[in-house]
Amino acid sequence: MSNIVAIVGRPNVGKSTLFNRLLERREAIVDSTAGVTRDRHYGKSDWNGVDFTVIDTGGYDVGTDDIFEQEIRKQVQLAVDEATSIIFMVNVEEGLTDTDQEIFELLRKSNKPVYLVVNKVDSSKEELPATEFYQLGVEKYFTLSSATGSGTGELLDQVVSDFPTTDYKDPFEGLPKITIGGRPNVGKSTLTNALLDVERNIVTDIAGTTRDSIQTLYNKFGHEFVLVDTAGMRRKSKVNEDLEFYSVMRSIRSIEYSDVVIIMVDATLGWESQDMNIFGLAQKNRKGIVILVNKWDLVEKETNTMRDFEAAIKHKIGQFNDVPILFVSALTKQRILKAVEVAMQVYEDRKKKIKTSKLNEVMLPIFEGTPPPAIKGKYIKIKYCVQLPTPSPQFVFFCNLPQYVKEPYKRFTENQLRKEFGFTGVPIEVYFRQK
Ligand code: GDP
Ligand code: GDP
């Protein structure tokens, strides 16, 4: 379960500067997945070995001071709904403003820990003006220079040590966790209800099991799985669902908590950037992926409609396109059970472990037949390989000159793994290491 830290504040206080700083170290690792564009508002960080997610809630403001009350409320609401902890950022250069006060009032009403952070304290001479912020009635604030990073350590020590302890026991430990993601109105609720309907023997609906997220256990035809839904998604929050940013943020926690993400696409609209965002989130978090093209009942079909639609999506999702795409109707329940079966298969494949002996037996002859291209007269020899004991498939290939193995060969290796062992819908990682 991942903790989420939200950065809230007026435009120009330095939110995105801090956001980028927190992500800096991790970025190289997280975004090594080729073809995934970096998300400007959401990313992973860690401090003292504790992982967390960072959201820059100001992602869509235009950087003017002319920010509407409405916009601020949405931002604050989002932070309060989704975050474990809230960093409330103010700016010493401008001092305390009315808007700061209003935001702080809203935050104070939440029961989440709120950290007042005075930014742009680049040197000791700004420490004194920073005391102005005691007017907000806080016991303590943190001074920071997002630009240089000074002060971040002290802040993060506190934030991380306040994370709730996870003595929580998951009642569904070990069962497949599935999230249904997609744009507003694509049919997520209809699908959820359709499943309820076909799967009469629903066992339980436990609220609050994982900090506001709801898990529903389904059991049908020997498939037992848990549908993960954040309270926010289910209750159709008043916060602007139509804004891409907000609806994507809403899916984050569910996605992180799941094994498989079902991405629903509206057949009448096609694959759009917001669908790509959800796909990117699932891929980055190495979750299994199934794409459902919903409302297929509304589409006038000709001979190649399905094939063309599938090709168009595969083209748009980029390099990792070994993903199941099904054409369904949540409304008429067409192919709904098939979708469940495919999601279960992806779940199984994601946790599949290939025996080391089998892996070597299959892969080494392939490498011998098609070795990595020699560079500067040096030959690369892959000696053996293992699958790591990670939740999603990761493989290490030991060789003499790992630095000479380039991207195209890594892709070749991944494709061979997919071809030989079957990982449809599952992001896999391939590493080359020195031996
Ligand atoms: P946001 O709108 O809150 O995301 O603010 P930005 O991160 O875009 O920063 C706004 C401006 O403040 C930029 O010009 C930054 O370079 C500058 N800035 C951010 N942090 C600091 C800091 O710690 N010290 C100083 N002097 N400038 C900063
Ligand atoms: P959500 O916002 O993603 O939860 O979407 P809803 O489940 O509320 O569906 C939005 C609208 O699309 C509703 O009017 C549904 O009846 C309709 N809808 C959902 N699935 C289908 C489908 O497969 N076919 C058709 N024709 N309409 C659908």
Side-chain angles (χ1 to χ4, degrees):
M1 189 175 6
S2 177
N3 287 297
I4 298 179
V5 178
I7 311 174
V8 180
R10 288 184 299 112
N12 274 317
V13 293
K15 296 183 297 299
S16 56
T17 308
L18 176 63
F19 174 81
N20 287 326
R21 180 161 289 284
L22 294 180
L23 259 60
E24 218 159 60
R25 287 175 305 140
R26 280 285 284 260
E27 208 155 276
I29 309 168
V30 176
D31 288 315
S32 62
T33 332
V36 178
T37 47
R38 179 174 168 284
D39 196 296
R40 276 157 53 228
H41 321 297
Y42 156 84
K44 300 269 187 183
S45 188
D46 65 276
W47 184 251
N48 293 342
V50 182
D51 291 338
F52 57 91
T53 294
V54 193
I55 301 178
D56 174 5
T57 61
Y60 273 73
D61 66 42
V62 283
T64 73
D65 266 3
D66 184 22
I67 184 167
F68 301 107
E69 169 126 351
Q70 197 56 24
E71 196 55 37
I72 291 176
R73 281 182 188 275
K74 271 187 286 183
Q75 205 190 89
V76 171
Q77 189 59 46
L78 177 75
V80 167
D81 282 354
E82 305 298 318
T84 319
S85 340
I86 299 164
I87 290 179
F88 173 44
M89 186 174 270
V90 293
N91 169 1
V92 73
E93 275 175 5
E94 289 170 275
L96 183 60
T97 70
D98 291 348
T99 313
D100 290 335
Q101 255 155 346
E102 284 166 36
I103 299 175
F104 193 63
E105 278 316 309
L106 292 172
L107 291 176
R108 217 204 294 259
K109 288 191 196 121
S110 75
N111 52 5
K112 306 273 166 91
V114 177
Y115 305 89
L116 175 63
V117 172
V118 185
N119 192 36
K120 308 199 186 179
V121 179
D122 298 337
S123 70
S124 58
K125 76 175 190 297
E126 287 92 17
E127 291 286 351
L128 188 61
T131 56
E132 177 187 5
F133 290 97
Y134 276 125
Q135 285 179 54
L136 288 170
V138 292
E139 295 285 317
K140 178 179 170 65
Y141 57 74
F142 295 84
T143 55
L144 198 73
S145 171
S146 296
T148 68
S150 89
T152 13
E154 204 191 325
L155 172 65
L156 291 179
D157 279 346
Q158 188 69 50
V159 170
V160 165
S161 76
D162 292 346
F163 281 157
T165 46
T166 49
D167 48 6
Y168 156 77
K169 180 88 178 73
D170 181 356
F172 303 126
E173 175 97 53
L175 287 179
K177 304 271 169 56
I178 298 182
T179 284
I180 302 173
R183 278 175 281 162
N185 287 320
V186 67
K188 298 182 294 299
S189 318
T190 310
L191 177 61
T192 306
N193 292 333
L195 288 170
L196 275 174
D197 202 34
V198 267
E199 324 238 326
R200 292 201 183 280
N201 41 352
I202 167 169
V203 180
T204 180
D205 195 3
I206 300 180
T209 43
T210 71
R211 226 196 299 126
D212 310 330
S213 84
I214 297 171
Q215 304 188 46
T216 309
L217 180 66
Y218 290 80
N219 193 330
K220 178 78 176 180
F221 294 148
H223 294 304
E224 207 178 10
F225 62 95
V226 175
L227 221 51
V228 182
D229 184 9
T230 61
M233 276 166 91
R234 178 165 293 200
R235 77 171 116 79
K236 294 235 167 186
S237 154
K238 287 165 240 43
V239 176
N240 253 5
E241 286 272 359
D242 52 326
L243 274 183
E244 172 181 340
F245 175 54
Y246 294 101
S247 80
V248 170
M249 287 303 162
R250 280 186 183 283
S251 330
I252 288 176
R253 191 177 43 207
S254 298
I255 290 177
E256 293 201 344
Y257 195 67
S258 300
D259 304 301
V260 176
V261 181
I262 291 179
I263 305 176
M264 291 182 86
V265 190
D266 192 320
T268 64
L269 300 174
W271 185 266
E272 291 181 353
S273 71
Q274 197 171 341
D275 303 314
M276 195 62 218
N277 275 340
I278 298 173
F279 184 87
L281 280 173
Q283 189 187 354
K284 260 192 221 179
N285 283 290
R286 301 191 181 115
K287 304 301 186 181
I289 299 175
V290 177
I291 296 175
L292 299 187
V293 180
N294 192 36
K295 309 195 186 178
W296 197 240
D297 55 300
L298 297 180
V299 172
E300 260 192 64
K301 288 135 200 126
E302 283 162 31
T303 322
N304 291 326
T305 315
M306 211 182 258
R307 197 199 63 188
D308 293 348
F309 212 103
E310 176 168 345
I313 293 179
K314 290 212 168 184
H315 177 71
K316 283 185 184 153
I317 58 183
Q319 211 166 287
F320 169 47
N321 65 14
D322 180 19
V323 176
I325 300 176
L326 283 86
F327 296 81
V328 306
S329 169
L331 196 68
T332 68
K333 302 191 176 69
Q334 191 189 13
R335 279 190 288 273
I336 292 307
L337 283 175
K338 178 74 185 162
V340 170
E341 276 163 20
V342 170
M344 288 303 110
Q345 184 60 50
V346 169
Y347 169 79
E348 292 299 332
D349 286 344
R350 182 171 175 266
K351 62 174 194 169
K352 186 163 65 184
K353 299 282 182 288
I354 313 296
K355 271 194 174 156
T356 306
S357 54
K358 180 78 187 162
L359 187 66
N360 284 275
E361 192 186 305
V362 171
M363 295 305 287
L364 294 185
I366 292 176
F367 292 137
E368 259 158 50
T370 315
I375 290 185
K376 294 179 199 135
K378 293 208 164 62
Y379 290 91
I380 299 136
K381 169 114 180 99
I382 297 161
K383 295 169 182 168
Y384 70 97
C385 40
V386 292
Q387 181 176 2
L388 299 176
T390 42
S392 70
Q394 303 188 29
F395 297 89
V396 183
F397 296 88
F398 292 98
C399 60
N400 56 339
L401 296 163
Q403 67 276 28
Y404 286 171
V405 181
K406 302 296 180 207
E407 205 49 51
Y409 200 78
K410 288 180 185 162
R411 225 170 302 149
F412 166 78
T413 305
E414 177 180 334
N415 290 339
Q416 295 302 315
L417 287 167
R418 293 188 178 282
K419 193 168 124 224
E420 297 293 336
F421 300 108
F423 287 108
T424 297
V426 180
I428 63 185
E429 300 290 335
V430 168
Y431 305 101
F432 286 83
R433 293 279 177 272
Q434 180 81 48
K435 193 76 190 183

